[in-house]
Amino acid sequence: MLRTRLGIMMFLQFFIWGGWFVTLGTFLSQNLGASGGQIGIAFSTQSWGAIIAPFIIGLIADRYFNAERILALLHLAGAALLFGLYRAQDFTTFYPLVLVYMILYMPTLALVNSVSFRQMRDPSQEFAKIRVWGTIGWILAGLAISYLFSWDGAEAIAGGALRNTFLMCAIASLALGLYCFTLPATPPKADTRKGGLKEILGLDALKLLNDRNYAIFFVASVLICIPLAFYYQNANPFLAEIGVANPTGKMTLGQISEVLFMLLLPVFIHRFGIKITLIIGMLAWAVRYALFAFGDAGEGVYLLLLGIALHGVCYDFFFVSGQIYTDARAGERFQSAAQGMITLATYGVGMLIGFWVAGLVTDHYATADGHDWQGIWLFPACFALAVLLLFLVAFKDKDRAKEASEVKRT
């Protein structure tokens, strides 16, 4: 029953995000008339939320209040903001609402991990089985948009149907906010009687960077999120613009593969070690963007579908394994702060830069009748390959048996 309860939490957490974020670029460009630069700053609100998240988690969740209660309040407030986004009629009104929403939403990514990890004996074996329900939630949100409601068809987009995604997610956020009050108690573990400002803000998690390998992983996390931003910002508009039918539904193929590779992840970590797992994830990013660059909506559509299907390897083998690796290195006292710090690295600094770069590159390759998508996708493909080469040189292997033991002992 505990696994089921945590699975429901993960399902709703990622249903909410996947239900509006995937089609955001298409909605902004087609319905609010936003430019590539404006779309970039709208997506970068995710990064500002991720940058602020470690301070919220370090100051509150690790020290003063139960994580599940903070989670409940954040999602209840998020429901009201999503309803505001549903009613927004122009980018000027839309932007401040989405900024505040993402500042509240991004800390919840670390909080759901903390609530889950605190209920487990062996997170390296148990976490993937719970986290996979988040992926299922993201999948069902995309399938509903394309096949249940048909909000992402050409005529529906022109009629503003994608606006309904915000209303759907507002209802889901309200449900999750109420549900969080029923979750197992996750009280703070940090001693509030000790420590200065650095410890109060959760900055002691920065001690993890004294470990050379973890510092290299942290830098790689920042850099690989620059290519990741291209996928979030451009994939759905790309598929819609070149004429792929039901683009949002087809993009759920990536989350379906994520389910499979999420279940395979513990095997890879324990058999091949964290370095090989991370390398496979980074290589998959370079390959998927090359497939996007040379695919099309006709005979080359299989390249696009294969690139989408690689999402499971891209995300699980780098980002989920990175969460497990971080939890193992942090120890019990600063688990929440450490998860907040890796959220800052992945969804914060790296993607803030990435969305800015993606906006510039997208506008640079804009044409009279759309975009030169091959030029747009080759940029993140080459960048991901460069990050991979740097990581190969700098990250030193440990004895695999010792490494597996360290990751298991969370």
Side-chain angles (χ1 to χ4, degrees):
M1 285 300 299
L2 178 59
R3 182 182 295 177
T4 300
R5 292 167 68 191
L6 295 175
I8 293 171
M9 174 190 72
M10 285 290 185
F11 178 91
L12 290 172
Q13 174 77 23
F14 287 90
F15 180 94
I16 293 165
W17 197 5
W20 68 273
F21 197 71
V22 173
T23 57
L24 176 61
T26 305
F27 171 73
L28 291 176
S29 63
Q30 298 295 319
N31 300 123
L32 298 189
S35 66
Q38 288 177 317
I39 294 171
I41 65 170
F43 274 97
S44 69
T45 59
Q46 169 190 271
S47 303
W48 288 116
I51 289 169
I52 295 169
F55 298 98
I56 296 176
I57 302 305
L59 179 61
I60 300 175
D62 270 348
R63 303 184 63 83
Y64 297 111
F65 301 105
N66 284 21
E68 81 283 356
R69 294 176 187 172
I70 302 171
L71 191 61
L73 295 175
L74 291 176
H75 278 299
L76 290 175
L81 289 164
L82 284 167
F83 185 73
L85 292 172
Y86 164 70
R87 300 191 64 183
Q89 297 298 316
D90 53 57
F91 187 80
T92 303
T93 305
F94 185 93
Y95 178 74
L97 290 173
V98 76
L99 175 61
V100 176
Y101 176 77
M102 291 309 283
I103 288 174
L104 296 183
Y105 179 84
M106 293 310 291
T108 67
L109 295 175
L111 285 169
V112 293
N113 287 345
S114 296
V115 170
S116 299
F117 284 136
R118 288 278 292 277
Q119 312 302 323
M120 300 176 193
R121 294 183 179 179
D122 183 1
S124 68
Q125 294 295 320
E126 298 175 55
F127 180 64
K129 297 175 184 177
I130 292 171
R131 174 59 180 79
V132 74
W133 285 101
T135 304
I136 294 171
W138 189 293
I139 290 170
L140 290 185
L143 292 177
I145 290 169
S146 278
Y147 299 110
L148 179 61
F149 301 117
S150 300
W151 289 336
D152 63 347
E155 292 184 5
I157 290 173
L162 286 177
R163 183 179 303 277
N164 296 320
T165 60
F166 299 104
L167 179 60
M168 175 181 72
C169 294
I171 295 170
S173 187
L174 175 62
L176 179 54
L178 297 174
Y179 177 75
C180 286
F181 287 113
T182 73
L183 292 172
T186 309
K189 286 199 172 183
D191 188 348
T192 59
R193 297 171 298 177
K194 298 180 181 179
L197 182 62
K198 181 178 178 181
E199 185 173 344
I200 289 174
L201 293 176
L203 299 181
D204 273 1
L206 293 173
K207 292 177 180 178
L208 289 173
L209 300 179
N210 292 332
D211 181 321
R212 180 180 182 277
N213 273 353
Y214 189 83
I216 292 165
F217 160 73
F218 187 88
V219 172
S221 296
V222 173
L223 294 177
I224 204 66
C225 280
I226 295 174
L228 172 61
F230 278 77
Y231 182 73
Y232 281 151
Q233 182 168 324
N234 287 333
N236 193 264
F238 161 62
L239 296 174
E241 185 175 301
I242 67 173
V244 175
N246 303 117
T248 311
K250 286 185 170 63
M251 285 180 68
T252 63
L253 180 62
Q255 278 65 49
I256 293 170
S257 78
E258 189 179 325
V259 173
L260 172 63
F261 287 103
M262 189 82 71
L263 299 176
L264 292 176
L265 182 59
V267 176
F268 271 84
I269 291 178
H270 285 270
R271 182 167 182 178
F272 300 107
I274 197 70
K275 180 177 181 179
I276 298 299
T277 305
L278 294 171
I279 286 171
I280 292 172
M282 286 184 281
L283 179 61
W285 281 108
V287 172
R288 93 178 309 189
Y289 288 137
L291 292 170
F292 282 175
F294 295 102
D296 57 58
E299 293 182 357
V301 71
Y302 74 96
L303 295 176
L304 303 180
L305 296 177
L306 183 57
I308 294 170
L310 278 175
H311 185 73
V313 184
C314 294
Y315 187 81
D316 295 339
F317 279 48
F318 192 87
F319 294 102
V320 178
S321 63
Q323 291 169 359
I324 294 171
Y325 181 53
T326 297
D327 193 66
R329 289 287 180 267
E332 187 176 83
R333 188 177 182 187
F334 299 109
Q335 282 178 335
S336 291
Q339 289 298 323
M341 185 180 72
I342 197 60
T343 299
L344 183 151
T346 54
Y347 293 107
V349 176
M351 293 191 70
L352 180 63
I353 300 169
F355 287 128
W356 174 69
V357 173
L360 291 178
V361 172
T362 302
D363 282 340
H364 176 75
Y365 284 101
T367 63
D369 57 350
H371 297 85
D372 174 9
W373 288 108
Q374 185 174 93
I376 291 172
W377 291 123
L378 285 177
F379 181 92
C382 294
F383 194 96
L385 189 60
V387 176
L388 170 59
L389 293 175
L390 289 173
F391 185 82
L392 277 170
V393 172
F395 194 97
K396 303 300 181 183
D397 274 318
K398 290 186 176 183
D399 175 76
R400 284 181 184 167
K402 180 180 178 182
E403 185 182 69
S405 176
E406 288 178 352
V407 173
K408 183 176 181 180
R409 190 176 61 252
T410 304

